[in-house]
Amino acid sequence: MLGLTLGLALGPAACGDDSAPPADAGLDGGDGDVPYPESPYDAVDVFVGTGALGAGVGACYPGASMPFSMVKLSPDTSTSAGGMVQFYHYSGYYYGDPMIVGFSHTHMSGIGVPGYGNIRVTPVTGWTPEKAGPLKARHRYVKESETGAPGFYGVTFEDGIRAELTVGERTGYHRYTWPQGTQDGDAVVVLHATATLVNGRPLAGEVQVNPAESRVHGWGLVDDQQGEDFHIWFDAKFDRPILSFGVWADEEVSGDATADGTDVGAWVSFAAGEPLTITLGISWVDAEGALENRLDDEAQASGFDAAHSRARAAWESALGRIELEGGSGLRQRIFYSALYHSYLHPTLFTDADGRYAGFDGQIQDAGDQAFYTDFSLWDTYRTLHPLLTLLEPDLTSDLAQSLVRMADQWGGLPKWPMANAEAGSMIGSPAAIVLAEAYLKGVQGFDVSGAWAHMLAQATGPLPAGSRGGLQQYLDLGYVASDIDGGSVSKTQEYNWADFAIANLGEALGHAAEAASLRTQSRSGTALWDDGVGFFRGRRTDGTWEPSFEASRWEDYYVEGNANQHLWLTPYPSVLTELMGGRTGALGRLDEFWGDTLEHWECCDLRLWAPSPYYWHGNEPDIHASYYFAMLGRPEGTQRWVPWVRDIHYSLGPEGLPGNDDVGTLSAWYVWTALGLYPWAGSDLYVLGTPAFTRAVIHLDSGDLIIEATNLAAGPYVQAVTLDGQPISRPWLRHQEISSGGTLSFTLGAEPSAWGVTDEDPL
C-alpha cells in the first residue's frame, strides 16, 4: 500500500534494449565479501527498510519487539527543527533524521500512513518546562552509536545518555544510563501519555505520578492518522526512587501528581549514577489490564537483562524455523532480515487475562485463542499470510478466528483492521482470500462456517458492514462501473480474485451451487478487456469505455498502479490466454512487459523516487507477474526474472527494500522466492521458481521440508525437479504434497531446458 499518490505519467524509456538479463543474473553478482552469519539471529539487519527516498521508502522501524507482540518499542525521529515529513515517518522513524523525539510503544512496520506512536518516553538531562508537550523533549543522537538486533535497540544521545530497549509481549523495558558528572535530580524521564505520530491528534488523557511506588500510570485517547480514535492505558514502574516530579496538561506545567486534559504528560527525576530501568505495560482494555500485563511479563522475565534474553530466545526460535546453507553470506542476511520482518505483524491484542477491546466497542474475552489485529490485508493476502499459514498453522488459526470475531462484532469482514476498528483502507475482499486459503491448506481451528457466511454475504449481498464498493454493479454488469466508483478496474479484479478463493472454499466445503456461481462471477472481469488497446480499461454503466487511457499512467479507474501492472491481476491463466489470443499471445505480452521493465530500469532508474511504469516491485498489484510464465506452462521466464527481481530490489541497510514493506508483504515475497516457491493466493497451489540457496530446511509442525539446489552457481534455469526422489514435470505443487515435509530437489543450469513446459492449466 503506497501512502502517497505520486500522480506520475511515466512513458516508455527512450534508451537501452529489450534483452533479457544474463543467464546467471541473481546468482553471482554484487555479493562482495559479506561473511556468512553465525546464526539466523545474527543475520538480521533491523535497519533494512528504515530509509530511502520517495516511492522507495520502506517505512520500517528498527526498535524492539517479540514476534507478533503487542508492544513494539522503537524510536520516533525528527528533523533538526522537529518536523516529521509524513511520507518518511509512517513508522515514526526515518534513518536520516538527526533527532530522536522519544521511544513509543506501538508501531506499524512499512505501512503507507502513519500508525500509532503511543505512550512515548524520552530520557533527558535536567528538566525545564519547555520540554513539556509534543516533540518538545527531542534531542540529538550519535548515529554511529545506534545498534539493533531482534528484540533489542540501543543508542547514545549527544549529551551522553545511553538508551537501551527490549520488550515482553505486552511490556516495554527501558534502560537509561546518564553520563558521569550528571547531578542528582538531572536524570530525568519525560513520559508523554497522549503521544501519536505525525498528523495524529491527542483528544484526551490522564496521568498520575505515584512517587511512593516509583510508578506513573494513565491513559491517552488519540485520533490516529488512519481515521480512528484509539484509547490506550499504560502502567510504568521505575526501579529506583523518584526524587522529584511534575505533570502537564495542554502545556500548563505544574508540580502536581495528576493531570488531565487534551494533551498530557509527566516528568520524573532520579539520582544519578546507576542505570535506570523502566518496565511499562500497556493495554487497550483498561488500567487494570496495563498493570496486570506488566506484572505478567515481569513474572516471566524480571529485569532488563532477563527480558532481553527472553526476547532473543523467542526470535531465535522463530528465525530458526528455516535453516540455510550456501547461496552467499549476503543472501542469507537479506533472507533472515526478510523473515524477521515477516514475524512482526499481525499484532497481539489480548491482555494477559484474555480480554480485548472488541470491534463492537465492548470488552470481549478471547477464551482459548489469542486475538490479533493490524492486518494490512490488501497487501498481506498475497505473500505474508500464505507464509504464516505454512510456518505457523496454530498462529494462523488464531489469526483466522480473529478475523471472524471482527466480522461477528462489526457486521462484516474487514479490509484493514487496526486496533479495535476498521480503518477502511484499500479495496477488495482480502480477508476472504486469507480465510479460504488457510482452510484449503489444512488450518481448521476457527469458525469456518461463520467465515463462509460472512464471505458469501460480502460477495453476493445483502450488503454487510465493510461491503464491496459497487457490489450491485458488479453483480448486475459483471464489473464496477467507472462512472460510479473510483478504482473500478482494480475493484473488479480484486473482487474476482476474492471470488476465486471463495469458490475454492465452497467446493471444499461441499457448497457446490454457490461455488459454481462464484466461479463464474470470478471471471467477470473479462468485461473490462478492451481489444482496441489490449488492456483492462475503465468502463461506464452504459458499456462505453472511459475516453482517457494511457497504459503507463495512473488512471482514476486503477488503484496504486496502471494498465501495465493491472494486466496480470487475474488468478486464471485461462482468462489471459482467452483474451490475448492463446498461450503464445499471453507469453508474448509477458515477454514484452519484462523487456520494457528491463529497458526502463537500465535507462531510467527512478527507484529512489518514482514508481516504474512497468513491473513495479514496490507495490502489490503485479508482484506475482514473474510467476505468470510458470502458470502458463513456460517456467523459463519465471526462472529468468525472479532472480533478477530479488537481486535488483533487495539489499541490506536502510535502502534495502524497494518500497513500503506493508507489514511484511515485500519481505515475505523474498522469503518465498529465495526458497524456490511462490503461493498462488486463495488456493492450495505453489508455483516453482529458482532457489537462492544450496539447501534450506524448513521445520514444519508435521515434518521437515528440505529444499535442495544442485549446481546453484551454474545458472538460474531449472533442468529437473524431484520430490522425495520422484520426478516432478509440472512447475507447481499442491500444499498437501509438501505440508508433511519431504525433500524437494532442483537441478539448475546455465541454459533454459524443457523442464516444466506444459499446456496443462493448473486451475
Coordinates of all heavy atoms in Angstrom, one line a residue, residues 603-640:
C603 N 17.8 2.3 -18.3 CA 17.9 3.7 -18.8 C 17.5 4.7 -17.8 O 18.2 5.8 -17.7 CB 17.0 3.8 -20.1 SG 16.9 5.5 -20.7
C604 N 16.5 4.4 -17.1 CA 15.8 5.5 -16.2 C 15.6 4.9 -14.9 O 14.4 4.8 -14.5 CB 14.5 5.9 -16.9 SG 14.7 6.4 -18.6
D605 N 16.6 4.6 -14.1 CA 16.5 4.1 -12.8 C 15.9 5.1 -11.8 O 16.6 6.0 -11.3 CB 17.8 3.6 -12.3 CG 17.7 2.9 -10.9 OD1 16.6 2.9 -10.3 OD2 18.7 2.4 -10.4
L606 N 14.6 5.1 -11.7 CA 13.9 6.1 -10.8 C 13.5 5.5 -9.5 O 12.6 6.0 -8.8 CB 12.7 6.7 -11.6 CG 13.0 7.3 -13.0 CD1 11.7 7.7 -13.6 CD2 13.9 8.4 -12.8
R607 N 14.0 4.3 -9.2 CA 13.5 3.6 -8.0 C 13.6 4.5 -6.7 O 12.8 4.3 -5.8 CB 14.4 2.3 -7.8 CG 13.9 1.5 -6.6 CD 14.6 0.1 -6.6 NE 16.0 0.2 -6.4 CZ 16.6 -0.1 -5.2 NH1 15.8 -0.4 -4.2 NH2 17.9 -0.1 -5.1
L608 N 14.5 5.4 -6.7 CA 14.7 6.2 -5.5 C 13.6 7.1 -5.2 O 13.4 7.6 -4.1 CB 16.0 6.9 -5.5 CG 17.3 6.0 -5.4 CD1 18.5 6.9 -5.4 CD2 17.3 5.2 -4.1
W609 N 12.8 7.4 -6.3 CA 11.7 8.4 -6.0 C 10.4 8.2 -6.7 O 9.4 8.7 -6.4 CB 12.3 9.8 -6.4 CG 12.5 10.0 -7.8 CD1 13.7 9.8 -8.5 CD2 11.7 10.6 -8.8 NE1 13.6 10.1 -9.8 CE2 12.3 10.6 -10.0 CE3 10.3 11.0 -8.8 CZ2 11.8 11.1 -11.2 CZ3 9.8 11.5 -10.0 CH2 10.5 11.5 -11.1
A610 N 10.4 7.3 -7.7 CA 9.2 7.2 -8.5 C 8.9 5.7 -8.9 O 9.8 5.0 -9.1 CB 9.3 8.0 -9.8
P611 N 7.6 5.4 -9.0 CA 7.3 4.0 -9.4 C 7.7 3.8 -10.9 O 7.7 4.7 -11.7 CB 5.7 4.0 -9.3 CG 5.4 5.2 -8.4 CD 6.4 6.2 -8.7
S612 N 8.0 2.5 -11.2 CA 8.2 2.1 -12.5 C 6.8 2.1 -13.3 O 5.8 1.7 -12.7 CB 8.8 0.7 -12.6 OG 8.8 0.2 -13.9
P613 N 6.8 2.4 -14.6 CA 5.6 2.3 -15.3 C 5.3 0.9 -15.8 O 4.3 0.6 -16.4 CB 5.8 3.2 -16.5 CG 7.3 3.2 -16.7 CD 7.9 3.1 -15.3
Y614 N 6.3 0.0 -15.6 CA 6.1 -1.4 -16.0 C 6.1 -2.2 -14.7 O 5.3 -2.0 -13.8 CB 7.2 -1.8 -16.9 CG 7.2 -0.9 -18.1 CD1 8.2 0.1 -18.3 CD2 6.2 -0.9 -19.1 CE1 8.2 0.9 -19.4 CE2 6.2 -0.1 -20.2 CZ 7.2 0.9 -20.3 OH 7.2 1.7 -21.4
Y615 N 6.9 -3.3 -14.6 CA 6.9 -4.0 -13.3 C 7.4 -3.1 -12.2 O 8.5 -2.5 -12.3 CB 7.8 -5.3 -13.4 CG 7.8 -6.1 -12.2 CD1 6.8 -6.9 -11.9 CD2 8.9 -6.0 -11.3 CE1 6.7 -7.7 -10.7 CE2 8.9 -6.7 -10.1 CZ 7.8 -7.6 -9.8 OH 7.8 -8.3 -8.7
W616 N 6.6 -3.1 -11.2 CA 6.9 -2.2 -10.0 C 6.8 -3.0 -8.8 O 5.8 -3.3 -8.3 CB 5.9 -1.0 -10.0 CG 6.2 -0.1 -8.8 CD1 7.3 0.1 -8.1 CD2 5.2 0.7 -8.1 NE1 7.2 1.0 -7.1 CE2 5.9 1.4 -7.1 CE3 3.8 0.9 -8.3 CZ2 5.2 2.3 -6.3 CZ3 3.2 1.8 -7.5 CH2 3.9 2.5 -6.5
H617 N 8.0 -3.4 -8.3 CA 8.0 -4.3 -7.1 C 7.8 -3.6 -5.8 O 7.5 -4.2 -4.8 CB 9.4 -5.0 -7.0 CG 9.4 -6.2 -6.1 ND1 8.7 -7.3 -6.4 CD2 10.0 -6.4 -4.9 CE1 8.9 -8.2 -5.4 NE2 9.6 -7.6 -4.5
G618 N 7.8 -2.3 -5.8 CA 7.5 -1.5 -4.6 C 6.0 -1.5 -4.2 O 5.7 -0.9 -3.2
N619 N 5.2 -2.1 -5.0 CA 3.8 -2.1 -4.6 C 3.2 -3.5 -5.1 O 3.8 -4.2 -5.8 CB 3.0 -0.9 -5.2 CG 1.8 -0.5 -4.4 OD1 1.8 -0.7 -3.2 ND2 0.8 0.1 -5.0
E620 N 1.9 -3.7 -4.7 CA 1.5 -5.1 -4.7 C 0.8 -5.6 -6.0 O 0.8 -6.8 -6.3 CB 0.5 -5.4 -3.6 CG 1.2 -5.6 -2.3 CD 1.9 -4.4 -1.7 OE1 1.5 -3.3 -2.0 OE2 2.8 -4.6 -0.8
P621 N 0.1 -4.8 -6.8 CA -0.8 -5.4 -7.9 C -0.1 -6.4 -8.8 O -0.7 -7.3 -9.3 CB -1.3 -4.2 -8.6 CG -1.3 -3.1 -7.6 CD -0.1 -3.3 -6.7
D622 N 1.2 -6.2 -9.1 CA 1.9 -7.1 -10.1 C 3.0 -7.9 -9.5 O 3.9 -8.4 -10.2 CB 2.3 -6.3 -11.3 CG 3.4 -5.3 -11.0 OD1 3.7 -5.1 -9.8 OD2 4.0 -4.8 -11.9
I623 N 3.1 -8.0 -8.2 CA 4.3 -8.7 -7.6 C 4.3 -10.2 -7.9 O 5.3 -10.9 -7.7 CB 4.5 -8.5 -6.1 CG1 3.3 -9.0 -5.3 CG2 4.7 -7.0 -5.8 CD1 3.5 -8.9 -3.8
H624 N 3.2 -10.7 -8.4 CA 3.2 -12.1 -8.8 C 3.5 -12.3 -10.3 O 3.5 -13.5 -10.8 CB 1.8 -12.7 -8.6 CG 0.7 -12.0 -9.3 ND1 0.3 -10.7 -9.0 CD2 0.0 -12.4 -10.4 CE1 -0.6 -10.4 -9.9 NE2 -0.8 -11.4 -10.7
A625 N 3.7 -11.2 -11.0 CA 3.8 -11.3 -12.5 C 4.9 -12.2 -13.0 O 4.8 -12.8 -14.1 CB 3.9 -9.9 -13.1
S626 N 6.0 -12.3 -12.3 CA 7.1 -13.1 -12.8 C 6.8 -14.6 -12.8 O 7.4 -15.4 -13.5 CB 8.4 -12.9 -12.0 OG 8.1 -13.0 -10.6
Y627 N 5.8 -14.9 -11.9 CA 5.4 -16.3 -11.8 C 4.3 -16.7 -12.8 O 3.9 -17.9 -13.0 CB 4.9 -16.6 -10.4 CG 6.1 -16.7 -9.5 CD1 6.5 -15.6 -8.8 CD2 6.7 -17.9 -9.3 CE1 7.6 -15.7 -7.9 CE2 7.8 -18.0 -8.5 CZ 8.3 -16.9 -7.8 OH 9.4 -17.0 -7.0
Y628 N 3.8 -15.7 -13.6 CA 2.8 -16.0 -14.6 C 3.4 -16.8 -15.8 O 2.6 -17.6 -16.4 CB 2.1 -14.7 -15.1 CG 0.6 -14.8 -15.0 CD1 0.0 -13.9 -14.1 CD2 -0.1 -15.8 -15.7 CE1 -1.4 -14.0 -14.0 CE2 -1.5 -15.9 -15.5 CZ -2.1 -15.0 -14.7 OH -3.5 -15.1 -14.5
F629 N 4.7 -16.7 -16.0 CA 5.3 -17.6 -17.0 C 5.0 -19.1 -16.7 O 4.6 -19.9 -17.5 CB 6.8 -17.3 -17.1 CG 7.2 -16.0 -17.8 CD1 7.5 -14.9 -17.0 CD2 7.2 -15.9 -19.2 CE1 7.9 -13.8 -17.6 CE2 7.6 -14.8 -19.8 CZ 7.9 -13.7 -19.0
A630 N 5.4 -19.4 -15.4 CA 5.2 -20.8 -15.0 C 3.7 -21.2 -15.0 O 3.4 -22.3 -15.3 CB 5.8 -21.0 -13.6
M631 N 2.8 -20.3 -14.6 CA 1.4 -20.6 -14.6 C 0.9 -20.9 -16.0 O -0.1 -21.6 -16.2 CB 0.6 -19.5 -13.9 CG 0.8 -19.3 -12.4 SD 0.2 -20.7 -11.5 CE -1.6 -20.4 -11.5
L632 N 1.6 -20.3 -17.0 CA 1.2 -20.5 -18.4 C 2.0 -21.7 -19.0 O 1.9 -21.9 -20.2 CB 1.5 -19.3 -19.2 CG 0.5 -18.1 -18.9 CD1 1.0 -16.8 -19.6 CD2 -0.9 -18.4 -19.5
G633 N 2.7 -22.4 -18.1 CA 3.4 -23.6 -18.6 C 4.7 -23.4 -19.2 O 5.3 -24.3 -19.9
R634 N 5.3 -22.2 -19.1 CA 6.6 -21.9 -19.7 C 7.5 -21.3 -18.6 O 7.7 -20.1 -18.5 CB 6.4 -20.9 -20.8 CG 5.6 -21.4 -22.0 CD 6.1 -22.7 -22.6 NE 5.3 -23.0 -23.8 CZ 4.3 -23.8 -23.8 NH1 3.9 -24.4 -22.6 NH2 3.6 -24.2 -24.9
P635 N 8.0 -22.1 -17.7 CA 8.7 -21.6 -16.5 C 10.0 -20.9 -16.7 O 10.6 -20.3 -15.8 CB 8.9 -22.9 -15.6 CG 8.9 -24.0 -16.6 CD 7.9 -23.6 -17.7
E636 N 10.6 -21.0 -17.9 CA 11.8 -20.4 -18.2 C 11.8 -18.9 -17.9 O 12.8 -18.3 -17.3 CB 12.2 -20.5 -19.7 CG 13.4 -19.7 -20.2 CD 13.4 -19.6 -21.7 OE1 12.9 -20.5 -22.4 OE2 14.0 -18.6 -22.2
G637 N 10.7 -18.2 -18.2 CA 10.6 -16.8 -17.9 C 10.6 -16.5 -16.4 O 11.2 -15.5 -15.9
T638 N 10.0 -17.3 -15.6 CA 10.0 -17.2 -14.2 C 11.4 -17.4 -13.6 O 11.9 -16.6 -12.8 CB 9.0 -18.3 -13.5 OG1 7.7 -18.0 -13.9 CG2 9.2 -18.3 -12.0
Q639 N 12.1 -18.4 -14.2 CA 13.5 -18.6 -13.7 C 14.4 -17.5 -14.1 O 15.4 -17.3 -13.4 CB 13.9 -20.0 -14.3 CG 13.1 -21.2 -13.9 CD 13.2 -22.3 -14.9 OE1 14.1 -22.4 -15.7 NE2 12.2 -23.2 -14.8
R640 N 14.1 -16.8 -15.2 CA 14.9 -15.7 -15.6 C 14.7 -14.5 -14.8 O 15.7 -13.8 -14.4 CB 14.6 -15.4 -17.1 CG 15.3 -14.1 -17.6 CD 15.0 -13.9 -19.1 NE 15.5 -15.0 -19.9 CZ 14.9 -15.5 -21.0 NH1 13.8 -14.9 -21.4 NH2 15.5 -16.4 -21.7

